[in-house]
């Protein structure tokens, strides 16, 4: 799991193998929002969660709600 170091500050990763090689993955922000997905490509799921988390932060910055 190389990409765990890419998880944005303040976000916590949790995941569960819900079936043989099928994962539910969630990144939860300490401020409340979370992103969640499921599938079989563990690294792809992690990359999607990280990208989505960064998108949330970017949207808040553009609206002036986060510095």
């Amino acid at each position: 799991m190389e990409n765990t170091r890419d998880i944005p500050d303040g976000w916590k990763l949790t995941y569960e193998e819900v079936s043989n090689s099928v994962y539910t993955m969630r990144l939860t922000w300490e401020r409340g929002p979370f992103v969640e997905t499921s599938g079989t490509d563990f690294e792809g799921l992690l990359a999607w969660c990280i990208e989505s988390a960064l998108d949330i932060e970017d949207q808040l910055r553009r609206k002036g709600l986060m510095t």
Side-chain angles (χ1 to χ4, degrees), residues 5-66:
R5 67 176 175 261
D6 297 331
I7 294 173
D9 290 338
W11 291 82
K12 180 183 175 189
L13 173 68
T14 55
Y15 61 90
E16 179 181 3
E17 188 173 14
V18 294
S19 187
N20 192 21
S21 298
V22 177
Y23 301 92
T24 297
M25 187 171 293
R26 176 185 269 205
L27 270 182
T28 305
W29 196 9
E30 61 191 17
R31 295 183 181 199
F34 67 90
V35 295
E36 183 176 84
T37 190
S38 59
T40 58
D41 177 10
F42 191 89
E43 292 296 322
L45 297 172
L46 180 58
W48 182 90
C49 283
I50 291 170
E51 182 69 28
S52 297
L54 292 172
D55 186 48
I56 288 171
E57 289 184 2
D58 185 51
Q59 288 178 40
L60 290 174
R61 275 190 205 92
R62 281 186 275 137
K63 292 180 178 181
L65 300 173
M66 187 177 143

